[in-house]
Amino acid sequence: MWRRISSQLLLLAGLLVLGAMAPATLFGAPGNHTRDVIVEDFDIVVPAAEGCSGEDVHVFGTLDLIIQTTTDSRGGLHVVFHLTPHLTGVGLSTGLEYNAVGPTQTVDFVDGTGPRVTVAVNAIRLISPGSSDNLAITETIHVTVNANGTTTVEFDNVNAACRG
């Protein structure tokens, strides 16, 4: 359940940009550029089985997502996703705190006349103080839209693990 909740932001953004645009819309379009900024609340509990300290970890805060799209004169679509986490993790038994580090960025290109494939890896690292292990949350997204504009493949996997 927590996997589905945590992945809504990037999957939704990818579908909005790639799934909603028919190839005919892109082909022959004049060059243009858009930039959208989204701030999304993030609130999940990583189960003890996937956490570092043998306890559930509450991860909460916001994610800043910047989506830039450029349509070139040949109908190609260039998409840049830049995600910056502003998250804190708190162990629900011990109160151990984790702080998120690093942005994630993906760059995609869509040919104006054919299928579109988006693959993204979102890696959120939650760093603990001292010698405690760090919590790594990794999300892998894949969306394929065929030449008719129909989404044919769509998955979003989220995993959490300890890293020393």
Side-chain angles (χ1 to χ4, degrees):
M1 174 76 172
W2 73 276
R3 293 171 190 226
R4 184 177 305 168
I5 294 168
S6 70
S7 61
Q8 290 174 349
L9 177 68
L10 286 179
L11 184 59
L12 177 62
L15 289 174
L16 286 173
V17 172
L18 299 177
M21 302 184 83
T25 304
L26 296 175
F27 186 70
N32 64 46
H33 181 79
T34 65
R35 183 177 186 269
D36 295 301
V37 178
I38 301 168
V39 177
E40 184 71 23
D41 290 332
F42 188 92
D43 192 347
I44 64 170
V45 174
V46 177
E50 296 185 33
C52 294
S53 59
E55 66 179 329
D56 292 348
V57 177
H58 182 205
V59 181
F60 58 94
T62 60
L63 300 171
D64 293 345
L65 177 64
I66 299 171
I67 306 169
Q68 296 183 77
T69 61
T70 303
T71 306
D72 63 33
S73 61
R74 294 179 41 202
L77 178 66
H78 306 261
V79 183
V80 177
F81 294 96
H82 186 86
L83 177 76
T84 303
H86 302 282
L87 303 175
T88 300
V90 177
L92 294 181
S93 299
T94 64
L96 181 66
E97 290 191 20
Y98 300 85
N99 294 307
V101 295
T104 297
Q105 181 164 302
T106 63
V107 178
D108 298 294
F109 173 72
V110 180
D111 186 334
T113 61
R116 299 178 296 281
V117 177
T118 296
V119 178
V121 176
N122 176 20
I124 298 173
R125 303 295 181 242
L126 294 156
I127 308 302
S128 66
S131 62
S132 298
D133 284 340
N134 301 316
L135 181 61
I137 301 173
T138 304
E139 175 180 32
T140 304
I141 298 170
H142 181 108
V143 178
T144 299
V145 179
N146 69 18
N148 296 326
T150 303
T151 301
T152 58
V153 176
E154 175 183 331
F155 69 82
D156 190 349
N157 296 321
V158 179
N159 296 301
C162 286
R163 302 286 185 249

